[in-house]
Amino acid sequence: MYLIIKIMGSFLVLAGGFLAGHKISRQYKKRSRILKQMQEALKYADDAIAIENTLLDEVLKSCGEKFFDKDSVIDLWTRASENLKTEFGSFENAWAKACEEYFEDIQCLTEKDKECITGIGLAIGLANTQRQTAHVTATLQRLQGLEKESLSVEEKEGKNAVKIALAMAAAVIVILF
């Protein structure tokens, strides 16, 4: 009976290790996906404002609908659009407020990622479209660099996360026996 309990416990520890490693791996993938979506949304927003002369409120809603999952906890672009109505046209404040709420729910982003995403508020909030486009281009380059870094980390560490977690679970199992 004692051996059966040990075997069942070992199986649970092994399953827990696999799930923990898989969760870590998913966090790396999520970070890369978020950075890519931010780039696509920012490109779309810049084009919609500069070329189509679309209202900022409408652009933000469109970005949220087009580029982000409905399953996500909070859509940063839609939330910024809602905040813009209460901030009386101060986009930078509306964006910063939306970012605070977004970063509370999204834990996979690094400080560099957060700083760059918060900088989108300054990039889009400029009144002069030429300056806005220049700032958006610089922000896009930073996001692309962060995405490349994220993909590199995902490739190196994401694959190994499951293996390391399983190795740790195996070590615990050996200690149990």
Side-chain angles (χ1 to χ4, degrees), residues 89-106:
S90 173
F91 178 72
E92 196 171 350
N93 291 340
W95 184 262
K97 191 175 188 180
C99 284
E100 287 176 19
E101 296 168 0
Y102 184 71
F103 297 147
E104 287 176 9
D105 294 333
I106 305 297

Side-chain angles (χ1 to χ4, degrees), residues 22-36:
H22 191 62
K23 181 176 181 172
I24 292 168
S25 178
R26 278 194 320 245
Q27 291 296 316
Y28 286 126
K29 289 178 184 177
K30 184 177 182 179
R31 177 181 175 222
S32 298
R33 190 184 76 240
I34 288 171
L35 292 172
K36 182 68 175 171

Side-chain angles (χ1 to χ4, degrees), residues 128-162:
N128 183 328
T129 55
Q130 289 177 339
R131 288 183 58 211
Q132 173 185 318
T133 301
H135 203 304
V136 165
T137 303
T139 304
L140 281 171
Q141 289 174 346
R142 285 187 62 208
L143 281 170
Q144 287 170 350
L146 290 170
E147 181 191 10
K148 285 180 185 177
E149 174 190 317
S150 173
L151 289 171
S152 174
V153 169
E154 176 186 336
E155 184 178 322
K156 290 177 186 173
E157 297 178 20
K159 291 179 181 178
N160 294 330
V162 176

Side-chain angles (χ1 to χ4, degrees), residues 57-165:
D57 180 33
E58 308 243 342
V59 170
L60 296 174
K61 283 182 186 177
S62 295
C63 287
E65 292 170 1
K66 284 186 174 195
F67 300 105
F68 295 92
D69 302 335
K70 303 299 180 219
D71 299 333
S72 62
V73 180
I74 178 178
D75 172 17
L76 178 61
W77 295 82
T78 304
R79 184 62 56 104
S81 171
E82 293 168 2
N83 289 347
L84 188 59
K85 294 175 187 173
T86 60
E87 293 293 328
F88 304 108
S90 173
F91 178 72
E92 196 171 350
N93 291 340
W95 184 262
K97 191 175 188 180
C99 284
E100 287 176 19
E101 296 168 0
Y102 184 71
F103 297 147
E104 287 176 9
D105 294 333
I106 305 297
Q107 303 299 321
C108 62
L109 297 173
T110 65
E111 289 302 316
K112 286 182 182 178
D113 299 339
K114 292 176 182 179
E115 179 183 308
C116 189
I117 291 170
T118 303
I120 292 173
L122 179 61
I124 294 180
L126 294 172
N128 183 328
T129 55
Q130 289 177 339
R131 288 183 58 211
Q132 173 185 318
T133 301
H135 203 304
V136 165
T137 303
T139 304
L140 281 171
Q141 289 174 346
R142 285 187 62 208
L143 281 170
Q144 287 170 350
L146 290 170
E147 181 191 10
K148 285 180 185 177
E149 174 190 317
S150 173
L151 289 171
S152 174
V153 169
E154 176 186 336
E155 184 178 322
K156 290 177 186 173
E157 297 178 20
K159 291 179 181 178
N160 294 330
V162 176
K163 294 175 187 174
I164 291 170

